[in-house]
Amino acid sequence: MKEQILIVEDQFVEADYLRLLLEQAGYGITGIARSVPQAQEMIQQKRPDFVLLDIFLKGKQTGIDLAILLAADNIPFVYLSANSNEDVLNAAKQTQPYGFLVKPFREKDLLVALEIARYRHAHHVAARYHKETLIRRQLKAIISDSGDWEQKLLKVVRALQAFIPFDLFTTSLEQAFLKCYYRIGFDEYQVIGVHELATITGKPAAVHPLPAKAMYYDEAAIQTFAGFQLKSGLEIPLRIRDGQAFSIGLYSKRPAAYAAEQLELFESIQVTLIQTIEALLQDTAQPATSSAKPPKELNGIIGKSHLLLNVFDQLAQVAPTETAVLILGETGTGKEKIASSIHDLSNRRNRPFIKINCAALSPDLIESALFGHEKGAFTGAHEKRPGIFERADKGTLFLDEVGDMPVELQVKLLRVLQEMEIERVGGRETIKVDVRIIAATNKNLEKEVADGRFRLDLYYRLNVFPVTLPALRERKEDIPALAYHFMNHFADKAGRKLSGISESVLKKMMVYKWPGNIRELEHLMERSVLLTKGSVIEEMPLPTVEKKDWVADVEEAAMKTIAENERDYIIAVLKKCNGRIWGPGAAAEILNLNPSTLKSKMKKLGIKKEYIH
């Protein structure tokens, strides 16, 4: 007997048809519910393995309301729905279903959807167990590490960041703040004490009411940390030695960043976390020492916006695993560089990284390119040639623009993903391969599935771990750092010395929409470097930006990033000069500044020695 399934569908004919199909396929049926309350009663009587869930049901509550409860109870579900508007579909996707069937559907579609849901749920359970094991192991290791309690607390922060991303991390003991850690880069934090927190928020921060139980909430409930632009929060109270109340708070700039899944994760590691905190607090009498670390970059990816840092967090989670990754994003957002980063952070880093652009190959050649061919398989096949799957064996295969793959070839790709074996064109021999798949597309694959251009089963097989890259217009705070990076790169390439970009050019860049994203910025910077006559870029050939587009919030963002941009540029120059300020070829000379002026700027911008080397 296969899994036991609960059907939640208020149309009798459709529900009975589903029951017949599932029973014929060997599934058991725990019941048919017409409403959310009825479904809850049935689940209490007999817990199902899966739930088939219609979105629109009789009564006040919808299938989406039930999905939230199912997710909290760790019961996997697949949505059933007729055509819905975009808002409903987006709300449904937020609940992270294991599949989505659009009515009317075929029997084969239903069975395939359940098969994929089983695969994804098994992967999710395995990944969660692996995550819990890793966190416990890291927390236990911190106890015996060298360093004072503040250094160890920062290690706890870094350990949790990799699994439960945040922008602000707070610790409180008996309603008094200990330390806050504000994320300013990949694995880079600003440590904030009680007095600094009061200055930033404009509120006394000496007392922080601790929650009675673990909870997550939205922006409206975050009052203590005004000024950090936080959208969601998660607070975990812990009872440590002598019954003292210790609280951990995680806050994100993304809305709905936390849900029941994060609460469950904390619950599973709670004992180890309490042991670690107790061990740290025993060392609080030791003198504090600096625990700052040099800022890190991920494979040369430039930027510190919270949207990009969220992508970094996802990469840190998925890279060490064998999970298939689907990278989504507009053209020019850097999908190939992200794929390369996943490979470089994985256990396959010393193995081949093979990439193929599915849109660049003709339908006649793409099968041969993927699977190889035997001699004489077709006209022009004068010798046996392995395909990229064989060449990528034990390594990573990056399928770029996978949304452009012909439908007939998608069937064969699905077989490879399921069985990890191939057959060359014109061959009969089955060849086993060990390949990790990373796919990318700028297309809306859900729409492609609906229009019949992309297979539903292949979509769900690839979409095990989706990573969506933000457009450049959504992470405008990264534009100055990117611009200076490309300026330095192309200036070095052209043998020129440029010291900066004018404020007027930066403002124009901040209000421009960048339809071509980072690739467009790169090309424009290359052109500007070649056209600039002086040492500062005063002009950039941007399309006309109308005055009405200079809205206050964008202009404020541009002004706010000037200082950040200057800081990043000075750090980059200091690194290039190995920290030297004075002398020929040193930072002051390159920046065309008096050494004492440069030192003053460094002090003003908070540039310390540990950020230079």
Side-chain angles (χ1 to χ4, degrees):
M1 179 69 71
K2 292 185 178 180
E3 285 85 358
Q4 298 293 303
I5 296 177
L6 171 65
I7 300 171
V8 184
E9 167 64 73
D10 60 1
Q11 299 296 320
F12 174 79
V13 175
E14 292 185 15
D16 198 51
Y17 174 63
L18 283 169
R19 179 186 61 78
L20 287 172
L21 291 181
L22 292 170
E23 287 180 341
Q24 289 173 4
Y27 289 97
I29 306 299
T30 63
I32 297 177
R34 316 289 187 200
S35 64
V36 172
Q38 189 179 9
Q40 290 178 279
E41 289 180 12
M42 290 183 175
I43 290 171
Q44 287 179 352
Q45 293 169 6
K46 185 174 183 180
R47 180 187 174 94
D49 297 310
F50 281 92
V51 175
L52 283 176
L53 176 60
D54 192 10
I55 291 181
F56 297 104
L57 299 167
K58 291 179 180 178
K60 295 181 179 179
Q61 293 177 292
T62 68
I64 295 175
D65 295 317
L66 179 58
I68 296 171
L69 301 175
L70 294 174
D73 204 16
N74 199 28
I75 299 176
F77 57 94
V78 174
Y79 276 123
L80 309 170
S81 177
N83 293 329
S84 302
N85 62 51
E86 188 174 350
D87 290 339
V88 172
L89 289 175
N90 286 335
K93 283 194 293 184
Q94 288 293 323
T95 62
Q96 298 181 335
Y98 285 86
F100 206 114
L101 279 170
V102 179
K103 300 177 183 179
F105 48 80
R106 301 169 299 172
E107 176 184 356
K108 183 179 178 182
D109 294 334
L110 172 64
L111 299 181
V112 167
L114 284 172
E115 189 68 29
I116 293 171
R118 180 192 294 117
Y119 167 81
R120 298 186 74 194
H121 180 60
H123 168 79
H124 176 77
V125 171
R128 177 178 168 180
Y129 176 77
H130 179 68
K131 182 187 294 187
E132 292 171 3
T133 303
L134 281 179
I135 295 178
R136 289 195 195 99
R137 189 181 302 159
Q138 290 182 21
L139 291 174
K140 288 178 180 177
I142 290 170
I143 296 175
S144 57
D145 279 352
S146 60
D148 61 32
W149 74 275
E150 289 187 340
Q151 291 173 322
K152 290 182 178 180
L153 184 56
L154 183 55
K155 289 178 182 179
V156 172
V157 171
R158 288 193 166 104
L160 293 176
Q161 176 71 259
F163 301 98
I164 312 174
F166 52 83
D167 293 296
L168 181 69
F169 185 101
T170 66
T171 56
S172 305
L173 180 63
E174 294 293 338
Q175 297 192 335
F177 278 113
L178 285 177
K179 291 287 181 182
C180 298
Y181 298 85
Y182 184 55
R183 195 179 192 190
I184 56 175
F186 182 59
D187 203 29
E188 185 182 0
Y189 302 88
Q190 177 185 353
V191 182
I192 301 173
V194 176
H195 299 298
E196 293 89 348
L197 183 63
T199 301
I200 294 170
T201 61
K203 298 179 179 179
V207 177
H208 176 56
L210 302 183
K213 63 178 182 177
M215 64 176 67
Y216 57 91
Y217 42 84
D218 59 18
E219 180 181 8
I222 304 176
Q223 302 296 328
T224 309
F225 306 108
F228 286 98
Q229 299 178 326
L230 303 170
K231 303 292 184 183
S232 53
L234 174 68
E235 289 203 26
I236 311 293
L238 303 170
R239 284 289 168 185
I240 57 173
R241 61 186 184 189
D242 301 326
Q244 292 185 91
F246 188 94
S247 175
I248 288 175
L250 290 80
Y251 305 90
S252 175
K253 293 182 179 180
R254 295 181 296 117
Y258 307 109
E261 182 179 353
Q262 285 75 32
L263 289 180
E264 291 172 7
L265 179 58
F266 264 111
E267 184 177 342
S268 67
I269 65 169
Q270 182 172 341
V271 173
T272 308
L273 185 58
I274 288 174
Q275 291 171 348
T276 306
I277 297 299
E278 287 177 342
L280 300 192
L281 292 178
Q282 288 176 1
D283 300 329
T284 53
Q286 296 182 16
T289 59
S290 174
S291 58
K293 274 192 173 184
K296 296 181 181 178
E297 288 179 357
L298 193 66
N299 196 29
I301 300 173
I302 307 299
K304 296 181 179 179
S305 63
H306 75 278
L307 291 176
L308 186 63
L309 292 179
N310 179 55
V311 172
F312 288 173
D313 294 331
Q314 290 178 298
L315 300 196
Q317 289 179 41
V318 76
T321 71
E322 295 295 304
T323 304
V325 180
L326 179 61
I327 305 172
L328 305 168
E330 297 178 6
T331 298
T333 49
K335 294 187 287 293
E336 183 177 329
K337 186 171 279 290
I338 292 296
S340 178
S341 296
I342 293 173
H343 174 74
D344 290 343
L345 291 170
S346 75
N347 297 326
R348 297 172 180 253
R349 66 180 70 88
N350 297 321
R351 298 289 185 168
F353 176 71
I354 307 295
K355 54 189 176 184
I356 185 170
N357 189 327
C358 299
L361 291 175
S362 68
D364 299 331
L365 294 177
I366 192 169
E367 184 174 358
S368 172
L370 287 173
F371 309 124
H373 62 257
E374 298 289 347
K375 181 179 179 180
F378 51 84
T379 304
H382 301 301
E383 60 183 2
K384 179 172 68 175
R385 180 171 297 177
I388 61 172
F389 266 96
E390 288 182 76
R391 288 160 46 205
D393 190 37
K394 302 293 189 298
T396 304
L397 176 57
F398 176 44
L399 299 173
D400 198 9
E401 302 305 342
V402 73
D404 293 294
M405 180 176 286
V407 175
E408 59 272 16
L409 192 59
Q410 294 174 23
V411 181
K412 297 187 177 182
L413 176 60
L414 180 63
R415 179 192 166 194
V416 175
L417 296 182
Q418 290 172 332
E419 320 232 342
M420 277 298 157
E421 59 184 31
I422 63 167
E423 287 182 9
R424 297 193 188 107
V425 177
R428 296 180 180 178
E429 179 188 2
T430 297
I431 303 169
K432 285 286 185 182
V433 291
D434 175 14
V435 174
R436 183 186 189 172
I437 297 292
I438 301 176
T441 183
N442 60 10
K443 291 190 173 182
N444 183 337
L445 287 188
E446 292 175 1
K447 186 176 186 305
E448 295 295 299
V449 168
D451 293 341
R453 290 188 293 270
F454 203 84
R455 291 182 62 92
L456 178 69
D457 45 7
L458 178 58
Y459 168 65
Y460 272 105
R461 185 67 79 180
L462 293 173
N463 196 40
V464 176
F465 196 101
V467 176
T468 302
L469 303 190
L472 187 55
R473 63 182 171 275
E474 296 171 340
R475 41 177 287 223
K476 288 194 171 186
E477 58 266 49
D478 290 335
I479 288 176
L482 283 164
Y484 269 87
H485 168 75
F486 290 129
M487 183 196 79
N488 291 330
H489 172 73
F490 292 117
D492 287 344
K493 193 175 178 180
R496 300 194 55 189
K497 285 189 176 181
L498 297 182
S499 61
I501 305 169
S502 71
E503 187 174 320
S504 62
V505 170
L506 284 172
K507 284 184 178 180
K508 288 179 181 178
M509 293 170 72
M510 294 295 286
V511 297
Y512 182 53
K513 301 300 182 184
W514 298 105
N517 293 294
I518 299 172
R519 187 177 298 144
E520 182 183 9
L521 173 59
E522 180 181 7
H523 293 162
L524 279 172
M525 286 306 303
E526 181 176 15
R527 184 178 175 188
S528 299
V529 166
L530 296 175
L531 293 177
T532 296
K533 296 179 180 179
S535 61
V536 176
I537 296 177
E538 300 283 359
E539 295 290 338
M540 175 170 281
L542 283 168
T544 304
V545 178
E546 295 186 20
K547 204 71 175 178
K548 64 180 181 179
D549 291 331
W550 288 66
V551 292
D553 58 337
V554 175
E555 186 170 4
E556 180 185 353
M559 292 299 293
K560 187 167 57 177
T561 57
I562 298 298
E564 297 170 357
N565 158 58
E566 185 178 18
R567 180 180 184 272
D568 291 341
Y569 182 50
I570 290 175
I571 289 174
V573 172
L574 285 166
K575 283 182 178 178
K576 190 174 181 180
C577 302
N578 295 319
R580 289 193 307 115
I581 297 176
W582 290 273
E589 181 180 288
I590 293 175
L591 293 166
N592 197 24
L593 292 173
N594 185 287
S596 59
T597 304
L598 176 56
K599 289 199 72 175
S600 297
K601 280 182 173 287
M602 288 172 62
K603 184 176 180 181
K604 179 181 177 183
L605 295 170
I607 300 173
K608 300 177 182 178
K609 280 187 177 181
E610 54 263 29
Y611 290 104
I612 296 173
H613 300 294

